[in-house]
Amino acid sequence: MQLMFRKLVYLSIFALASALGSAGAYGASANPNLTKAKQEAEAKGFIFAASQEEIIANAKKEGKLRVMGSLGAQTLKPLSEAFRKKYPFIDAQAQEIAGTDNYVRMIQEMKAGIARNWDVNYVAFDMYPEYLPYQKKFDIFGMAQQGVLQIPQKMIDPVNRHVVVVASDLQAVAYNKKNIAPEKIPNNWEGFLREEFSGRKFMLDIRPKDVASLVPAWGLEKTVEFARKLAAQKPVWIRGNSRALTMIQSGEYNVLVGPNLSVVMGVEKKDPNIAYKILEPVPTRLNEAQSVLGAASNPYAGLLWLEFLCSPAGQAIIDQYEPYGASMLVAGTVQEKIARGLKLSVIDWEHVTKLEDYQKKITEAYGFPRADAK
């Protein structure tokens, strides 16, 4: 009887030690805050991995990763190579997908239940609500809060919690410094309302993402009124940064209001006559949203991919190959360094789903112009 009792005690101790060891491997039991976060997330229908080890273990079992991203092919290739070097047990392949037609097709495939050829996809903000029901409900925000994933929390949608942004854009003013002196460029946005800028003296994109990005700082009413006055200056209406910058290079026009800073910097690198000026508040947009597909075959490999894109190593690759397109939310990126100490007007998670409405109202204030540049 005594021998049997001892055996039972030993077995109980062994079972308890094993249970503690198992829980410790994934970290939940050792951290009450982590345990609570996991329980709360799961109660709301989210998936919550309790440790990086758990994510990696599952990713090893998956062994593959397929990405449909909107970053350029020239960027996705080195990103994939660096990711495979870090996680050699994952066969990672990334493909560029761009254009509204492709985004609509992907959404249609998701709705039809036939979207099974990729694990991570780009999420177009223009159609944001349509993507959300078909993305894997990982609590990426909660896992980042608890240190399970090393992703800056501002890069994650705090409401939907399973979408991240991996890039951003600051809006600036581009000009040909050979034809117009730098001191002639206004020091604030209202400067373009001066008489000297009236009558086709600057180009303005008919898609007003630049002006719309002033709403967080100015409010919608003031921004719409500014747009109305800007249109009254009779600018040269244009569509697209690249086309407008080519015209500045040729000297056909000298000033472009509101292009993406990353695009201007890329042209400036090749053409010494192209320069830019940053005006405050600096219109800033979060972009390149990514998420794991709900029907993904390799969801945990997808989590590691998102974490890698947001890491200093991933951001450095984006800065190099986009170029200058990495997120201003990550310390050390080109945009983050430029934005330091400046007053920003950020289309962040609070505003991103409202941006289309902002643009619609501003387009109405413009008077529905058409691209009329030669």
Side-chain angles (χ1 to χ4, degrees):
M1 180 68 70
Q2 188 175 8
L3 181 60
M4 183 178 293
F5 177 78
R6 287 179 180 175
K7 286 183 178 180
L8 287 172
V9 170
Y10 291 150
L11 286 172
S12 298
I13 293 173
F14 178 79
L16 178 61
S18 298
L20 290 173
S22 177
Y26 291 151
S29 295
N31 184 343
N33 291 330
L34 180 60
T35 302
K36 182 180 178 181
K38 179 178 173 65
Q39 291 172 345
E40 290 177 350
E42 291 175 346
K44 295 176 182 177
F46 285 96
I47 302 166
F48 193 108
S51 72
Q52 179 85 181
E53 291 78 13
E54 179 182 344
I55 295 172
I56 291 175
N58 284 321
K60 281 183 177 179
K61 294 175 184 176
E62 294 165 356
K64 292 183 180 180
L65 175 67
R66 298 296 179 263
V67 176
M68 292 289 191
S70 67
L71 292 168
Q74 79 284 353
T75 309
L76 289 172
K77 181 179 179 181
L79 279 172
S80 299
E81 291 171 351
F83 182 80
R84 287 194 297 268
K85 185 175 181 180
K86 182 171 184 175
Y87 301 109
F89 49 85
I90 300 176
D91 174 23
Q93 304 293 331
Q95 176 183 341
E96 179 185 7
I97 182 168
T100 301
D101 290 347
N102 285 320
Y103 306 151
V104 170
R105 176 182 57 78
M106 291 178 74
I107 291 173
Q108 290 173 339
E109 290 182 9
M110 292 177 196
K111 291 180 177 179
I114 58 174
R116 304 185 185 282
N117 296 326
W118 68 87
D119 303 301
V120 174
N121 58 262
Y122 171 67
V123 178
F125 281 136
D126 292 355
M127 296 169 272
Y128 196 63
E130 295 188 67
Y131 283 90
L132 295 178
Y134 305 101
Q135 305 304 304
K136 198 80 169 178
K137 286 196 69 174
F138 280 122
D139 186 4
I140 297 176
F141 188 84
M143 287 187 276
Q145 279 185 316
Q146 298 301 322
V148 175
L149 289 170
Q150 300 302 310
I151 300 177
Q153 290 175 41
K154 288 184 178 181
M155 300 178 81
I156 311 166
D157 184 336
V159 175
N160 297 293
R161 305 177 78 89
H162 56 297
V163 182
V164 305
V165 286
V166 303
S168 63
D169 253 314
L170 310 180
Q171 313 300 142
V173 174
Y175 63 98
N176 187 324
K177 63 184 180 182
K178 183 179 179 182
N179 297 330
I180 183 170
E183 59 269 22
K184 295 289 185 180
I185 303 298
N187 293 318
N188 54 55
W189 296 105
E190 292 93 334
F192 284 100
L193 304 181
R194 299 198 303 258
E195 177 63 27
E196 64 199 83
F197 284 98
S198 178
R200 301 177 67 83
K201 295 298 194 307
F202 61 89
M203 288 186 285
L204 187 63
D205 201 316
I206 62 172
R207 184 186 180 192
K209 66 182 188 307
D210 42 14
V211 176
S213 297
L214 288 168
V215 171
W218 282 1
L220 184 58
E221 185 178 345
K222 178 179 177 178
T223 305
V224 169
E225 182 59 24
F226 172 70
R228 190 173 290 113
K229 292 177 179 178
L230 205 58
Q233 291 289 76
K234 301 188 185 304
V236 176
W237 297 107
I238 194 70
R239 181 66 189 97
N241 289 180
S242 298
R243 182 186 179 199
L245 287 168
T246 298
M247 297 166 78
I248 289 181
Q249 286 180 283
S250 70
E252 186 173 355
Y253 297 102
N254 295 320
V255 181
L256 172 62
V257 172
N260 295 342
L261 177 61
S262 59
V263 177
V264 179
M265 292 178 71
V267 175
E268 178 198 40
K269 189 175 181 180
K270 301 174 183 177
D271 187 340
N273 291 323
I274 300 301
Y276 65 86
K277 189 168 187 176
I278 295 178
L279 307 184
E280 297 182 71
V282 186
T284 307
R285 294 177 301 113
L286 305 183
N287 58 30
E288 298 297 341
Q290 312 267 323
S291 188
V292 177
L293 180 69
S297 299
N298 311 293
Y300 287 91
L303 273 184
L304 293 178
W305 172 263
L306 295 180
E307 181 184 51
F308 179 71
L309 291 184
C310 297
S311 71
Q315 291 287 295
I317 293 171
I318 295 173
D319 251 347
Q320 180 179 355
Y321 290 94
E322 272 309 292
Y324 316 119
S327 176
M328 50 82 60
L329 298 175
V330 177
T333 64
V334 171
Q335 290 187 36
E336 187 272 333
K337 291 177 181 177
I338 291 173
R340 286 179 191 172
L342 300 180
K343 181 180 180 181
L344 306 180
S345 180
V346 185
I347 297 293
D348 57 12
W349 295 108
E350 179 185 352
H351 295 276
V352 72
T353 57
K354 304 172 186 176
L355 183 59
E356 279 298 300
D357 183 56
Y358 299 162
Q359 291 188 93
K360 180 180 179 181
K361 288 181 169 59
I362 290 166
T363 299
E364 291 172 356
Y366 281 171
F368 301 100
R370 295 177 298 176
D372 62 4
K374 299 177 181 177

